[in-house]
Amino acid sequence: MIIGREKEQRELLSLLKREESQFCAVYGRRRVGKTYLIRETFNYQFCFQHTGLSNGTLRQQLTAFRNSLVAAGMKCAIPKTWIDAFELLKQLINAAPAGKKVLFIDELPWMDTPKGNLIGALENFWNGWATARREKDIVLIVCGSATSWISKKLMKDKGGLRGRLTNRIKLVPFTLHECELFAKGSNLAYGRKDVLELYMIFGGIPYYWSFLKKGLSVAQNVDQLFFSETAQLRDEFEALYSILFKRPENYLKVIECLSDGRKSGMTREEILAASKLSDGGTFSIILEELEECGFIRRFASVDTAETNALYQLIDNYTLFYYLCIKKNAFSDEHFWSNTFTSSSHNTWKGHAFERVCLQHIPQIKSALGISGVQTNVCSWFVRGSAQQRGAQIDLVMQRADGFTDIFEMKHSTNVFTIDKDYANDLQNKLEAYRKLSKDKRTLHLVMVTTNGVIHNSYYNMVQYEVTMDDLFAL
């Protein structure tokens, strides 16, 4: 059963209706459901399908490719090169019945071993043969979790594959609405506060949601999946980064800095100082690849140059790992249930809820009635000094209609209350932004909370409020 993904399915099926041969790349974060989507959409009917091997040698990759050819009905020896391998694939296609031939190569980046010349062989297969066929009947779909590899080798390739992709589909995580549908489809008796908490842990990654067992509370499920002795996702963090990046150590140094740094994010220079990594092209590649894989996001500050942009950890599961799993020093099998009311749990909730809000900007805009208004989304902060209190705003939405929305995002079990101290803090943020930013638009304070805000004497400063239910909209 496929939840959502209607647009992506329509685009995939449209490949079969086009006159020319098609070359489509499907990419996105690991575990987001790329393989499942492709297989279900085409009802597992492929002329040829193959999956690359994680950390396989060239010989192992070619052996696996031969095995996939055999599974498709061809008898052949192990090819010595990728050129030979694609020659065998041509023979398989030529022997296939008339009609569209859908070829699905999963985890293509894993097949690109040193000195293997995979890209050269793929280029020769596509440019020199597939597109030259009179029948124009090839639909080649390649897939991979190493989003940066897909981007560099296929989308931005400077060689023979430049401009050869006819389609590219980026599969993004589920929204809260889609996760709610997933929970209902799995017969999980969870309300929206439960779905929200699980989203703050899993994000919209279907693979993680698929492990949830009905009849168990959220805390029971989380304890079983992450903290029990036989937890199925106990080692997920190490696998997640080591599979995507050949040398994950430096990538993890950046991630760890962002998990410990300001929740609004850190500049490039601050990450360099905290991680003790060397500046240069390699560091730039690390930031770029982490962003392309969906682990971090770059926010351009509202009034500074792009070079002073903030980098922020945005992946829900990674944040959960650093703020919760890694802190389970005593290996308590019921850690989540036992720390449910602790200060560390509340700290995680605050950070995680903000990430969820940032992942649902379209829903927030819809709640504000400005879906069609062009906006620049960013964050802003100023360090404190003898003359000025410090201020941090995690979400700023500059609108083309002359307003700027200043957002405060607060997770609260009950209806949120603005007290005197918090009202003073909000006023300081607004005044600091008005005084120190270059933004001359009219300011609106918007509260985004789980259950709304009490309308007391301090509520007058709020222009609009968005609640958890608004985040669940389509």
mmCIF file of all heavy atoms in Angstrom, residues 29-32 174 182-183 186-188 190 198 201-203 205-226 228 230-237 317:
data_model
loop_
_atom_site.group_PDB
_atom_site.id
_atom_site.type_symbol
_atom_site.label_atom_id
_atom_site.label_comp_id
_atom_site.label_asym_id
_atom_site.label_seq_id
_atom_site.Cartn_x
_atom_site.Cartn_y
_atom_site.Cartn_z
ATOM 1 N N ARG A 29 16.733 10.964 0.519
ATOM 2 C CA ARG A 29 17.373 10.466 1.737
ATOM 3 C C ARG A 29 17.196 8.960 1.875
ATOM 4 O O ARG A 29 16.191 8.385 1.475
ATOM 5 C CB ARG A 29 16.746 11.160 2.943
ATOM 6 C CG ARG A 29 17.360 10.790 4.284
ATOM 7 C CD ARG A 29 16.392 11.136 5.392
ATOM 8 N NE ARG A 29 16.927 10.946 6.727
ATOM 9 C CZ ARG A 29 17.004 9.771 7.338
ATOM 10 N NH1 ARG A 29 16.608 8.672 6.708
ATOM 11 N NH2 ARG A 29 17.472 9.692 8.577
ATOM 12 N N ARG A 30 18.191 8.298 2.448
ATOM 13 C CA ARG A 30 18.114 6.869 2.692
ATOM 14 C C ARG A 30 16.885 6.553 3.544
ATOM 15 O O ARG A 30 16.544 7.288 4.463
ATOM 16 C CB ARG A 30 19.393 6.401 3.397
ATOM 17 C CG ARG A 30 19.420 4.911 3.733
ATOM 18 C CD ARG A 30 20.827 4.487 4.120
ATOM 19 N NE ARG A 30 20.833 3.188 4.782
ATOM 20 C CZ ARG A 30 20.735 2.019 4.139
ATOM 21 N NH1 ARG A 30 20.606 2.002 2.827
ATOM 22 N NH2 ARG A 30 20.751 0.878 4.814
ATOM 23 N N ARG A 31 16.218 5.466 3.223
ATOM 24 C CA ARG A 31 15.038 4.955 3.934
ATOM 25 C C ARG A 31 13.760 5.717 3.610
ATOM 26 O O ARG A 31 12.731 5.485 4.238
ATOM 27 C CB ARG A 31 15.220 4.989 5.459
ATOM 28 C CG ARG A 31 16.496 4.383 6.008
ATOM 29 C CD ARG A 31 16.601 2.902 5.815
ATOM 30 N NE ARG A 31 17.516 2.284 6.773
ATOM 31 C CZ ARG A 31 17.918 1.033 6.733
ATOM 32 N NH1 ARG A 31 17.514 0.249 5.759
ATOM 33 N NH2 ARG A 31 18.727 0.550 7.649
ATOM 34 N N VAL A 32 13.788 6.616 2.622
ATOM 35 C CA VAL A 32 12.608 7.436 2.353
ATOM 36 C C VAL A 32 11.570 6.707 1.489
ATOM 37 O O VAL A 32 10.456 7.194 1.309
ATOM 38 C CB VAL A 32 13.019 8.778 1.711
ATOM 39 C CG1 VAL A 32 13.289 8.618 0.211
ATOM 40 C CG2 VAL A 32 11.990 9.864 1.969
ATOM 41 N N PHE A 174 7.707 11.995 4.224
ATOM 42 C CA PHE A 174 6.285 12.221 4.426
ATOM 43 C C PHE A 174 6.054 13.494 5.246
ATOM 44 O O PHE A 174 6.881 13.877 6.070
ATOM 45 C CB PHE A 174 5.649 11.061 5.191
ATOM 46 C CG PHE A 174 5.340 9.857 4.350
ATOM 47 C CD1 PHE A 174 5.042 8.640 4.966
ATOM 48 C CD2 PHE A 174 5.330 9.909 2.974
ATOM 49 C CE1 PHE A 174 4.750 7.524 4.215
ATOM 50 C CE2 PHE A 174 5.036 8.799 2.211
ATOM 51 C CZ PHE A 174 4.743 7.596 2.832
ATOM 52 N N PHE A 182 -0.576 6.999 7.272
ATOM 53 C CA PHE A 182 0.188 5.757 7.443
ATOM 54 C C PHE A 182 -0.222 5.061 8.735
ATOM 55 O O PHE A 182 -0.422 3.841 8.772
ATOM 56 C CB PHE A 182 1.683 6.061 7.449
ATOM 57 C CG PHE A 182 2.559 4.842 7.451
ATOM 58 C CD1 PHE A 182 3.127 4.390 6.273
ATOM 59 C CD2 PHE A 182 2.830 4.147 8.628
ATOM 60 C CE1 PHE A 182 3.940 3.260 6.262
ATOM 61 C CE2 PHE A 182 3.627 3.023 8.630
ATOM 62 C CZ PHE A 182 4.190 2.582 7.440
ATOM 63 N N ALA A 183 -0.341 5.839 9.817
ATOM 64 C CA ALA A 183 -0.719 5.264 11.107
ATOM 65 C C ALA A 183 -2.112 4.641 11.048
ATOM 66 O O ALA A 183 -2.343 3.541 11.573
ATOM 67 C CB ALA A 183 -0.655 6.340 12.188
ATOM 68 N N SER A 186 -2.088 1.441 9.138
ATOM 69 C CA SER A 186 -1.439 0.362 9.888
ATOM 70 C C SER A 186 -2.217 -0.011 11.141
ATOM 71 O O SER A 186 -1.720 -0.784 11.975
ATOM 72 C CB SER A 186 -0.010 0.785 10.267
ATOM 73 O OG SER A 186 0.746 1.104 9.113
ATOM 74 N N ASN A 187 -3.415 0.553 11.293
ATOM 75 C CA ASN A 187 -4.286 0.278 12.437
ATOM 76 C C ASN A 187 -3.632 0.645 13.771
ATOM 77 O O ASN A 187 -3.819 -0.043 14.785
ATOM 78 C CB ASN A 187 -4.714 -1.197 12.453
ATOM 79 C CG ASN A 187 -5.579 -1.546 11.261
ATOM 80 O OD1 ASN A 187 -6.488 -0.808 10.895
ATOM 81 N ND2 ASN A 187 -5.287 -2.681 10.626
ATOM 82 N N LEU A 188 -2.842 1.720 13.759
ATOM 83 C CA LEU A 188 -2.250 2.229 14.995
ATOM 84 C C LEU A 188 -3.213 3.248 15.599
ATOM 85 O O LEU A 188 -3.534 4.244 14.973
ATOM 86 C CB LEU A 188 -0.908 2.889 14.712
ATOM 87 C CG LEU A 188 0.173 2.002 14.074
ATOM 88 C CD1 LEU A 188 1.349 2.857 13.627
ATOM 89 C CD2 LEU A 188 0.625 0.933 15.054
ATOM 90 N N TYR A 190 -3.461 5.965 17.245
ATOM 91 C CA TYR A 190 -2.730 7.119 17.732
ATOM 92 C C TYR A 190 -3.448 8.411 17.373
ATOM 93 O O TYR A 190 -3.929 8.575 16.251
ATOM 94 C CB TYR A 190 -1.318 7.164 17.129
ATOM 95 C CG TYR A 190 -0.370 6.121 17.668
ATOM 96 C CD1 TYR A 190 0.651 5.620 16.870
ATOM 97 C CD2 TYR A 190 -0.481 5.656 18.973
ATOM 98 C CE1 TYR A 190 1.541 4.664 17.357
ATOM 99 C CE2 TYR A 190 0.389 4.704 19.472
ATOM 100 C CZ TYR A 190 1.398 4.209 18.661
ATOM 101 O OH TYR A 190 2.271 3.274 19.153
ATOM 102 N N LEU A 198 6.017 11.000 17.393
ATOM 103 C CA LEU A 198 6.747 10.043 16.563
ATOM 104 C C LEU A 198 7.428 10.745 15.391
ATOM 105 O O LEU A 198 8.531 10.370 14.990
ATOM 106 C CB LEU A 198 5.782 8.960 16.057
ATOM 107 C CG LEU A 198 5.316 7.960 17.109
ATOM 108 C CD1 LEU A 198 4.161 7.124 16.585
ATOM 109 C CD2 LEU A 198 6.480 7.055 17.531
ATOM 110 N N ILE A 201 10.630 12.179 16.278
ATOM 111 C CA ILE A 201 11.672 11.156 16.404
ATOM 112 C C ILE A 201 12.098 10.636 15.028
ATOM 113 O O ILE A 201 13.279 10.625 14.679
ATOM 114 C CB ILE A 201 11.176 9.982 17.264
ATOM 115 C CG1 ILE A 201 10.894 10.443 18.692
ATOM 116 C CG2 ILE A 201 12.204 8.841 17.265
ATOM 117 C CD1 ILE A 201 10.178 9.415 19.534
ATOM 118 N N PHE A 202 11.129 10.186 14.245
ATOM 119 C CA PHE A 202 11.389 9.518 12.977
ATOM 120 C C PHE A 202 11.518 10.475 11.794
ATOM 121 O O PHE A 202 12.113 10.123 10.770
ATOM 122 C CB PHE A 202 10.244 8.556 12.637
ATOM 123 C CG PHE A 202 10.080 7.400 13.568
ATOM 124 C CD1 PHE A 202 8.828 6.854 13.784
ATOM 125 C CD2 PHE A 202 11.158 6.849 14.228
ATOM 126 C CE1 PHE A 202 8.652 5.774 14.628
ATOM 127 C CE2 PHE A 202 10.998 5.761 15.080
ATOM 128 C CZ PHE A 202 9.739 5.226 15.284
ATOM 129 N N GLY A 203 10.913 11.660 11.924
ATOM 130 C CA GLY A 203 10.694 12.455 10.727
ATOM 131 C C GLY A 203 9.676 11.732 9.855
ATOM 132 O O GLY A 203 8.944 10.865 10.309
ATOM 133 N N ILE A 205 10.080 9.461 7.585
ATOM 134 C CA ILE A 205 10.776 8.348 6.932
ATOM 135 C C ILE A 205 9.939 7.077 7.074
ATOM 136 O O ILE A 205 9.851 6.499 8.163
ATOM 137 C CB ILE A 205 12.180 8.144 7.541
ATOM 138 C CG1 ILE A 205 12.968 9.457 7.504
ATOM 139 C CG2 ILE A 205 12.926 7.046 6.805
ATOM 140 C CD1 ILE A 205 13.131 10.040 6.109
ATOM 141 N N PRO A 206 9.319 6.613 5.990
ATOM 142 C CA PRO A 206 8.403 5.465 6.066
ATOM 143 C C PRO A 206 9.031 4.212 6.662
ATOM 144 O O PRO A 206 8.364 3.456 7.368
ATOM 145 C CB PRO A 206 8.004 5.243 4.598
ATOM 146 C CG PRO A 206 8.243 6.549 3.929
ATOM 147 C CD PRO A 206 9.406 7.168 4.627
ATOM 148 N N TYR A 207 10.307 3.984 6.384
ATOM 149 C CA TYR A 207 10.974 2.778 6.881
ATOM 150 C C TYR A 207 10.895 2.704 8.397
ATOM 151 O O TYR A 207 10.622 1.632 8.966
ATOM 152 C CB TYR A 207 12.427 2.779 6.415
ATOM 153 C CG TYR A 207 13.262 1.653 6.966
ATOM 154 C CD1 TYR A 207 13.181 0.375 6.412
ATOM 155 C CD2 TYR A 207 14.144 1.865 8.022
ATOM 156 C CE1 TYR A 207 13.960 -0.661 6.911
ATOM 157 C CE2 TYR A 207 14.924 0.840 8.524
ATOM 158 C CZ TYR A 207 14.835 -0.420 7.972
ATOM 159 O OH TYR A 207 15.602 -1.450 8.466
ATOM 160 N N TYR A 208 11.128 3.821 9.075
ATOM 161 C CA TYR A 208 11.064 3.821 10.539
ATOM 162 C C TYR A 208 9.638 3.595 11.026
ATOM 163 O O TYR A 208 9.411 2.836 11.980
ATOM 164 C CB TYR A 208 11.594 5.144 11.087
ATOM 165 C CG TYR A 208 13.029 5.453 10.734
ATOM 166 C CD1 TYR A 208 13.477 6.763 10.645
ATOM 167 C CD2 TYR A 208 13.946 4.438 10.476
ATOM 168 C CE1 TYR A 208 14.790 7.061 10.318
ATOM 169 C CE2 TYR A 208 15.262 4.719 10.147
ATOM 170 C CZ TYR A 208 15.681 6.034 10.070
ATOM 171 O OH TYR A 208 16.983 6.328 9.738
ATOM 172 N N TRP A 209 8.692 4.225 10.380
ATOM 173 C CA TRP A 209 7.288 4.082 10.789
ATOM 174 C C TRP A 209 6.804 2.642 10.623
ATOM 175 O O TRP A 209 5.898 2.199 11.343
ATOM 176 C CB TRP A 209 6.408 5.036 9.983
ATOM 177 C CG TRP A 209 6.521 6.462 10.393
ATOM 178 C CD1 TRP A 209 7.506 7.341 10.053
ATOM 179 C CD2 TRP A 209 5.640 7.189 11.254
ATOM 180 N NE1 TRP A 209 7.296 8.568 10.637
ATOM 181 C CE2 TRP A 209 6.158 8.506 11.374
ATOM 182 C CE3 TRP A 209 4.459 6.855 11.923
ATOM 183 C CZ2 TRP A 209 5.531 9.480 12.145
ATOM 184 C CZ3 TRP A 209 3.826 7.834 12.694
ATOM 185 C CH2 TRP A 209 4.365 9.125 12.801
ATOM 186 N N SER A 210 7.384 1.909 9.699
ATOM 187 C CA SER A 210 6.931 0.551 9.428
ATOM 188 C C SER A 210 7.213 -0.410 10.585
ATOM 189 O O SER A 210 6.630 -1.497 10.649
ATOM 190 C CB SER A 210 7.599 0.017 8.149
ATOM 191 O OG SER A 210 8.989 -0.190 8.335
ATOM 192 N N PHE A 211 8.084 -0.033 11.517
ATOM 193 C CA PHE A 211 8.415 -0.905 12.644
ATOM 194 C C PHE A 211 7.431 -0.778 13.810
ATOM 195 O O PHE A 211 7.462 -1.586 14.739
ATOM 196 C CB PHE A 211 9.822 -0.597 13.158
ATOM 197 C CG PHE A 211 10.922 -1.102 12.276
ATOM 198 C CD1 PHE A 211 11.571 -0.247 11.405
ATOM 199 C CD2 PHE A 211 11.310 -2.434 12.296
ATOM 200 C CE1 PHE A 211 12.582 -0.691 10.583
ATOM 201 C CE2 PHE A 211 12.320 -2.909 11.475
ATOM 202 C CZ PHE A 211 12.964 -2.039 10.611
ATOM 203 N N LEU A 212 6.573 0.227 13.787
ATOM 204 C CA LEU A 212 5.653 0.450 14.903
ATOM 205 C C LEU A 212 4.653 -0.694 15.019
ATOM 206 O O LEU A 212 4.130 -1.187 14.018
ATOM 207 C CB LEU A 212 4.909 1.773 14.717
ATOM 208 C CG LEU A 212 5.772 3.037 14.767
ATOM 209 C CD1 LEU A 212 4.974 4.253 14.339
ATOM 210 C CD2 LEU A 212 6.341 3.239 16.171
ATOM 211 N N LYS A 213 4.393 -1.111 16.256
ATOM 212 C CA LYS A 213 3.466 -2.218 16.507
ATOM 213 C C LYS A 213 2.186 -1.690 17.154
ATOM 214 O O LYS A 213 2.248 -0.907 18.110
ATOM 215 C CB LYS A 213 4.123 -3.260 17.418
ATOM 216 C CG LYS A 213 5.329 -3.942 16.783
ATOM 217 C CD LYS A 213 5.944 -4.953 17.735
ATOM 218 C CE LYS A 213 7.162 -5.639 17.112
ATOM 219 N NZ LYS A 213 7.781 -6.595 18.054
ATOM 220 N N LYS A 214 1.073 -2.123 16.608
ATOM 221 C CA LYS A 214 -0.198 -1.692 17.194
ATOM 222 C C LYS A 214 -0.375 -2.340 18.567
ATOM 223 O O LYS A 214 0.154 -3.413 18.853
ATOM 224 C CB LYS A 214 -1.361 -2.049 16.266
ATOM 225 C CG LYS A 214 -1.605 -3.532 16.066
ATOM 226 C CD LYS A 214 -2.807 -3.735 15.153
ATOM 227 C CE LYS A 214 -3.139 -5.211 14.983
ATOM 228 N NZ LYS A 214 -4.322 -5.401 14.118
ATOM 229 N N GLY A 215 -1.114 -1.651 19.405
ATOM 230 C CA GLY A 215 -1.326 -2.134 20.760
ATOM 231 C C GLY A 215 -0.321 -1.603 21.757
ATOM 232 O O GLY A 215 -0.519 -1.720 22.967
ATOM 233 N N LEU A 216 0.777 -1.022 21.265
ATOM 234 C CA LEU A 216 1.789 -0.449 22.146
ATOM 235 C C LEU A 216 1.668 1.064 22.150
ATOM 236 O O LEU A 216 1.355 1.673 21.126
ATOM 237 C CB LEU A 216 3.193 -0.842 21.683
ATOM 238 C CG LEU A 216 3.555 -2.325 21.673
ATOM 239 C CD1 LEU A 216 5.015 -2.504 21.250
ATOM 240 C CD2 LEU A 216 3.310 -2.964 23.033
ATOM 241 N N SER A 217 1.946 1.684 23.282
ATOM 242 C CA SER A 217 1.953 3.145 23.359
ATOM 243 C C SER A 217 3.168 3.677 22.607
ATOM 244 O O SER A 217 4.062 2.914 22.205
ATOM 245 C CB SER A 217 2.023 3.593 24.817
ATOM 246 O OG SER A 217 3.280 3.242 25.383
ATOM 247 N N VAL A 218 3.215 4.983 22.427
ATOM 248 C CA VAL A 218 4.376 5.588 21.772
ATOM 249 C C VAL A 218 5.647 5.275 22.553
ATOM 250 O O VAL A 218 6.662 4.861 21.982
ATOM 251 C CB VAL A 218 4.188 7.113 21.648
ATOM 252 C CG1 VAL A 218 5.491 7.773 21.208
ATOM 253 C CG2 VAL A 218 3.074 7.439 20.655
ATOM 254 N N ALA A 219 5.599 5.445 23.876
ATOM 255 C CA ALA A 219 6.787 5.195 24.704
ATOM 256 C C ALA A 219 7.228 3.740 24.611
ATOM 257 O O ALA A 219 8.427 3.450 24.538
ATOM 258 C CB ALA A 219 6.495 5.579 26.153
ATOM 259 N N GLN A 220 6.275 2.818 24.627
ATOM 260 C CA GLN A 220 6.619 1.399 24.526
ATOM 261 C C GLN A 220 7.270 1.082 23.183
ATOM 262 O O GLN A 220 8.255 0.336 23.112
ATOM 263 C CB GLN A 220 5.363 0.540 24.714
ATOM 264 C CG GLN A 220 4.849 0.491 26.140
ATOM 265 C CD GLN A 220 3.524 -0.256 26.236
ATOM 266 O OE1 GLN A 220 2.623 -0.057 25.418
ATOM 267 N NE2 GLN A 220 3.418 -1.123 27.229
ATOM 268 N N ASN A 221 6.724 1.637 22.118
ATOM 269 C CA ASN A 221 7.308 1.415 20.798
ATOM 270 C C ASN A 221 8.720 1.983 20.714
ATOM 271 O O ASN A 221 9.630 1.333 20.192
ATOM 272 C CB ASN A 221 6.422 2.046 19.722
ATOM 273 C CG ASN A 221 5.518 1.036 19.045
ATOM 274 O OD1 ASN A 221 5.954 -0.024 18.608
ATOM 275 N ND2 ASN A 221 4.235 1.361 18.952
ATOM 276 N N VAL A 222 8.906 3.189 21.226
ATOM 277 C CA VAL A 222 10.224 3.825 21.164
ATOM 278 C C VAL A 222 11.242 3.034 21.976
ATOM 279 O O VAL A 222 12.380 2.815 21.530
ATOM 280 C CB VAL A 222 10.154 5.286 21.650
ATOM 281 C CG1 VAL A 222 11.547 5.908 21.755
ATOM 282 C CG2 VAL A 222 9.289 6.108 20.702
ATOM 283 N N ASP A 223 10.848 2.579 23.167
ATOM 284 C CA ASP A 223 11.754 1.763 23.982
ATOM 285 C C ASP A 223 12.154 0.479 23.258
ATOM 286 O O ASP A 223 13.327 0.086 23.267
ATOM 287 C CB ASP A 223 11.097 1.414 25.321
ATOM 288 C CG ASP A 223 11.169 2.551 26.331
ATOM 289 O OD1 ASP A 223 12.126 3.365 26.218
ATOM 290 O OD2 ASP A 223 10.295 2.630 27.209
ATOM 291 N N GLN A 224 11.192 -0.178 22.616
ATOM 292 C CA GLN A 224 11.490 -1.435 21.926
ATOM 293 C C GLN A 224 12.355 -1.223 20.689
ATOM 294 O O GLN A 224 13.197 -2.057 20.364
ATOM 295 C CB GLN A 224 10.189 -2.140 21.535
ATOM 296 C CG GLN A 224 9.463 -2.769 22.715
ATOM 297 C CD GLN A 224 8.493 -3.861 22.270
ATOM 298 O OE1 GLN A 224 8.473 -4.265 21.110
ATOM 299 N NE2 GLN A 224 7.679 -4.333 23.200
ATOM 300 N N LEU A 225 12.161 -0.108 19.997
ATOM 301 C CA LEU A 225 12.880 0.116 18.743
ATOM 302 C C LEU A 225 14.291 0.653 18.940
ATOM 303 O O LEU A 225 15.173 0.393 18.113
ATOM 304 C CB LEU A 225 12.096 1.091 17.861
ATOM 305 C CG LEU A 225 10.790 0.570 17.273
ATOM 306 C CD1 LEU A 225 10.085 1.661 16.485
ATOM 307 C CD2 LEU A 225 11.055 -0.630 16.371
ATOM 308 N N PHE A 226 14.530 1.380 20.068
ATOM 309 C CA PHE A 226 15.824 2.037 20.226
ATOM 310 C C PHE A 226 16.600 1.642 21.471
ATOM 311 O O PHE A 226 17.831 1.729 21.476
ATOM 312 C CB PHE A 226 15.642 3.562 20.237
ATOM 313 C CG PHE A 226 15.137 4.129 18.945
ATOM 314 C CD1 PHE A 226 13.822 4.531 18.820
ATOM 315 C CD2 PHE A 226 15.978 4.255 17.849
ATOM 316 C CE1 PHE A 226 13.348 5.054 17.620
ATOM 317 C CE2 PHE A 226 15.512 4.775 16.650
ATOM 318 C CZ PHE A 226 14.197 5.172 16.539
ATOM 319 N N SER A 228 15.813 -1.268 23.867
ATOM 320 C CA SER A 228 15.825 -2.643 24.359
ATOM 321 C C SER A 228 17.056 -3.374 23.859
ATOM 322 O O SER A 228 17.735 -2.933 22.913
ATOM 323 C CB SER A 228 14.559 -3.383 23.913
ATOM 324 O OG SER A 228 14.586 -3.616 22.512
ATOM 325 N N THR A 230 17.296 -6.008 22.155
ATOM 326 C CA THR A 230 17.131 -6.492 20.777
ATOM 327 C C THR A 230 16.525 -5.416 19.871
ATOM 328 O O THR A 230 15.873 -5.727 18.879
ATOM 329 C CB THR A 230 16.232 -7.743 20.765
ATOM 330 O OG1 THR A 230 14.958 -7.413 21.350
ATOM 331 C CG2 THR A 230 16.876 -8.876 21.538
ATOM 332 N N ALA A 231 16.736 -4.162 20.204
ATOM 333 C CA ALA A 231 16.144 -3.050 19.453
ATOM 334 C C ALA A 231 16.527 -3.114 17.977
ATOM 335 O O ALA A 231 17.698 -3.209 17.626
ATOM 336 C CB ALA A 231 16.598 -1.725 20.048
ATOM 337 N N GLN A 232 15.522 -3.057 17.120
ATOM 338 C CA GLN A 232 15.756 -3.198 15.683
ATOM 339 C C GLN A 232 16.464 -1.995 15.080
ATOM 340 O O GLN A 232 17.122 -2.106 14.041
ATOM 341 C CB GLN A 232 14.418 -3.427 14.970
ATOM 342 C CG GLN A 232 13.793 -4.777 15.281
ATOM 343 C CD GLN A 232 12.369 -4.891 14.768
ATOM 344 O OE1 GLN A 232 11.471 -4.228 15.280
ATOM 345 N NE2 GLN A 232 12.160 -5.722 13.765
ATOM 346 N N LEU A 233 16.343 -0.835 15.707
ATOM 347 C CA LEU A 233 16.979 0.362 15.175
ATOM 348 C C LEU A 233 18.131 0.849 16.043
ATOM 349 O O LEU A 233 18.558 1.996 15.943
ATOM 350 C CB LEU A 233 15.934 1.480 15.023
ATOM 351 C CG LEU A 233 14.810 1.198 14.015
ATOM 352 C CD1 LEU A 233 13.784 2.329 14.025
ATOM 353 C CD2 LEU A 233 15.370 1.009 12.612
ATOM 354 N N ARG A 234 18.639 -0.027 16.884
ATOM 355 C CA ARG A 234 19.722 0.352 17.799
ATOM 356 C C ARG A 234 20.956 0.852 17.043
ATOM 357 O O ARG A 234 21.619 1.801 17.457
ATOM 358 C CB ARG A 234 20.106 -0.847 18.673
ATOM 359 C CG ARG A 234 21.286 -0.581 19.605
ATOM 360 C CD ARG A 234 21.716 -1.851 20.315
ATOM 361 N NE ARG A 234 20.776 -2.222 21.350
ATOM 362 C CZ ARG A 234 20.877 -1.834 22.630
ATOM 363 N NH1 ARG A 234 21.866 -1.046 22.995
ATOM 364 N NH2 ARG A 234 19.998 -2.222 23.535
ATOM 365 N N ASP A 235 21.305 0.216 15.943
ATOM 366 C CA ASP A 235 22.521 0.562 15.206
ATOM 367 C C ASP A 235 22.236 1.388 13.947
ATOM 368 O O ASP A 235 23.083 1.492 13.062
ATOM 369 C CB ASP A 235 23.265 -0.723 14.815
ATOM 370 C CG ASP A 235 23.649 -1.548 16.030
ATOM 371 O OD1 ASP A 235 24.036 -0.956 17.050
ATOM 372 O OD2 ASP A 235 23.540 -2.797 15.960
ATOM 373 N N GLU A 236 21.059 1.960 13.859
ATOM 374 C CA GLU A 236 20.676 2.684 12.649
ATOM 375 C C GLU A 236 21.567 3.895 12.392
ATOM 376 O O GLU A 236 21.903 4.195 11.246
ATOM 377 C CB GLU A 236 19.216 3.123 12.749
ATOM 378 C CG GLU A 236 18.739 4.058 11.648
ATOM 379 C CD GLU A 236 18.749 3.445 10.259
ATOM 380 O OE1 GLU A 236 18.897 2.208 10.148
ATOM 381 O OE2 GLU A 236 18.614 4.195 9.287
ATOM 382 N N PHE A 237 21.984 4.588 13.446
ATOM 383 C CA PHE A 237 22.754 5.813 13.248
ATOM 384 C C PHE A 237 24.077 5.529 12.552
ATOM 385 O O PHE A 237 24.444 6.216 11.591
ATOM 386 C CB PHE A 237 23.013 6.499 14.597
ATOM 387 C CG PHE A 237 23.737 7.809 14.465
ATOM 388 C CD1 PHE A 237 23.050 8.956 14.103
ATOM 389 C CD2 PHE A 237 25.103 7.895 14.691
ATOM 390 C CE1 PHE A 237 23.719 10.169 13.973
ATOM 391 C CE2 PHE A 237 25.776 9.099 14.569
ATOM 392 C CZ PHE A 237 25.082 10.231 14.198
ATOM 393 N N TYR A 317 15.673 12.289 13.060
ATOM 394 C CA TYR A 317 16.262 11.117 13.709
ATOM 395 C C TYR A 317 17.657 11.425 14.252
ATOM 396 O O TYR A 317 18.002 11.005 15.356
ATOM 397 C CB TYR A 317 16.317 9.928 12.743
ATOM 398 C CG TYR A 317 17.185 8.822 13.279
ATOM 399 C CD1 TYR A 317 16.762 8.061 14.370
ATOM 400 C CD2 TYR A 317 18.451 8.577 12.755
ATOM 401 C CE1 TYR A 317 17.569 7.075 14.908
ATOM 402 C CE2 TYR A 317 19.261 7.599 13.278
ATOM 403 C CZ TYR A 317 18.823 6.843 14.357
ATOM 404 O OH TYR A 317 19.638 5.880 14.894
#
